[in-house]
Amino acid sequence: MGAVSPSYKGAHQYPVQVISHCVWLYHRFPLSFREVKELMLERGVTVSYETVRRWCAKFGQAYANALRCRQPRPGDKWHLDEVFIRINGEQRYLWRAVDQGGNVLDILVQKCRDKAAARRFFRRLMKKTGAVPRVIVTDKLRSFGAAHREVMSSVEHRQSKYLNNRAENSHQPTRQRERAMKGFRSVGGAQRFLFAFSGITPHFRPRRHLIPAHDYRAEMTVRFAIWEQAAQTSHHVRQPLKALRPGHLA
């Protein structure tokens, strides 16, 4: 998916740095819109929770697309998994694919986890990535095997409940967010939020346990710079916010 530069036309009188910072807070941490509003108030920016909600809905996906365009090409080993989620009290299934580096390739919310649902996810995944993997790793759900034989029979398929930790671990941030949001209200809303969320959150979650502290700080500095480019900002977001005073942007 190509990145389209976000349009800030009609984004009121708030600087781009404020908008991108609110979107970052909401997607990076399990916060509500009201909690983001409170954090911004502490920094001297008066903004309503409804404005934060509109910003996240309008710009979150654009930022996520821009970050995805800056990612390397997908690896040749894909891990696929599905978990159930509750949407308006009903059980649905969240399908997710990540490569061997942990980069989220795609997510899809579906009603079932049968052969047709798996086939639909396989085809969508190959269409969005424009690639075919060398090997796919799944659990022992039979739907994966049936869809694999129809859609990508030439690709090696490994099925084991012990080999798919990469995909299963990728579900954890979603579970945290689901609890903070007390569930999702609609399939479309869940799909839109989780697709943006899966593009933004992993960007700020390098594998911290594998790198020393100074390398981690350097890596995060680079990632914040990429975020600023994605949001089309020219100044570091943290610097101007402290200079603002309550009511300055009201």
Side-chain angles (χ1 to χ4, degrees):
M1 181 181 294
V4 178
S5 298
S7 171
Y8 293 99
K9 182 178 180 181
H12 311 291
Q13 71 271 38
Y14 292 85
V16 174
Q17 294 94 331
V18 172
I19 297 173
S20 65
H21 194 66
C22 288
V23 175
W24 173 72
L25 284 171
Y26 184 70
H27 286 85
R28 175 59 184 88
F29 305 102
L31 301 171
S32 68
F33 296 125
R34 286 179 170 85
E35 288 169 334
V36 173
K37 178 192 74 170
E38 185 176 338
L39 288 173
M40 297 304 292
L41 181 61
E42 187 276 332
R43 309 203 76 169
V45 180
T46 303
V47 60
S48 70
Y49 75 89
E50 180 62 22
T51 298
V52 175
R53 185 195 65 79
R54 290 199 302 267
W55 287 346
C56 291
K58 182 175 182 179
F59 300 112
Q61 188 59 70
Y63 294 169
N65 292 342
L67 292 176
R68 285 190 172 96
C69 285
R70 290 165 169 81
Q71 290 179 349
R73 289 186 59 82
D76 62 356
K77 184 178 182 180
W78 295 358
H79 297 258
L80 285 69
D81 193 32
E82 41 70 42
V83 294
F84 75 88
I85 59 175
R86 289 285 178 182
I87 299 179
N88 199 24
E90 298 182 356
Q91 182 169 294
R92 295 291 185 266
Y93 294 94
L94 173 65
W95 298 71
R96 182 188 305 272
V98 301
D99 65 11
Q100 64 264 41
N103 299 310
V104 179
L105 305 177
D106 196 14
I107 64 105
L108 180 62
V109 179
Q110 300 194 82
K111 184 177 181 179
C112 302
R113 59 172 183 168
D114 55 11
K115 174 183 173 182
R119 183 173 59 233
R120 186 180 304 112
F121 184 56
F122 279 13
R123 289 174 174 168
R124 170 188 165 100
L125 182 59
M126 290 190 296
K127 181 178 180 181
K128 292 184 76 66
T129 59
V132 177
R134 174 182 56 85
V135 58
I136 61 172
V137 182
T138 70
D139 58 21
K140 293 190 175 183
L141 180 69
R142 292 183 178 181
S143 301
F144 282 124
H148 164 260
R149 289 190 292 271
E150 285 193 13
V151 179
M152 51 175 75
S153 57
S154 61
V155 176
E156 180 184 353
H157 183 200
R158 301 174 186 171
Q159 285 187 289
S160 171
K161 64 180 180 179
Y162 302 109
L163 297 177
N164 213 24
N165 288 340
R166 180 73 71 192
E168 292 173 359
N169 291 339
S170 183
H171 289 303
Q172 292 179 6
T174 300
R175 287 300 192 200
Q176 294 172 357
R177 203 71 179 101
E178 183 183 18
R179 287 193 296 269
M181 298 173 70
K182 296 181 176 61
F184 302 102
R185 296 183 179 179
S186 68
V187 172
Q191 176 69 38
R192 287 189 296 272
F193 169 76
L194 291 174
F195 191 68
F197 179 76
S198 65
I200 294 174
T201 296
H203 179 74
F204 295 102
R205 288 176 179 262
R207 302 175 72 184
R208 175 67 182 88
H209 63 289
L210 297 180
I211 55 179
H214 63 279
D215 289 344
Y216 172 78
R217 289 191 291 268
E219 176 66 20
M220 290 302 295
T221 298
V222 172
R223 295 193 180 207
F224 276 117
I226 294 173
W227 171 257
E228 291 178 11
Q229 294 174 6
Q232 292 189 337
T233 59
S234 58
H235 302 288
H236 197 281
V237 72
R238 295 172 185 261
Q239 295 302 320
L241 295 182
K242 280 295 186 180
L244 298 175
R245 293 291 179 267
H248 180 69
L249 294 175

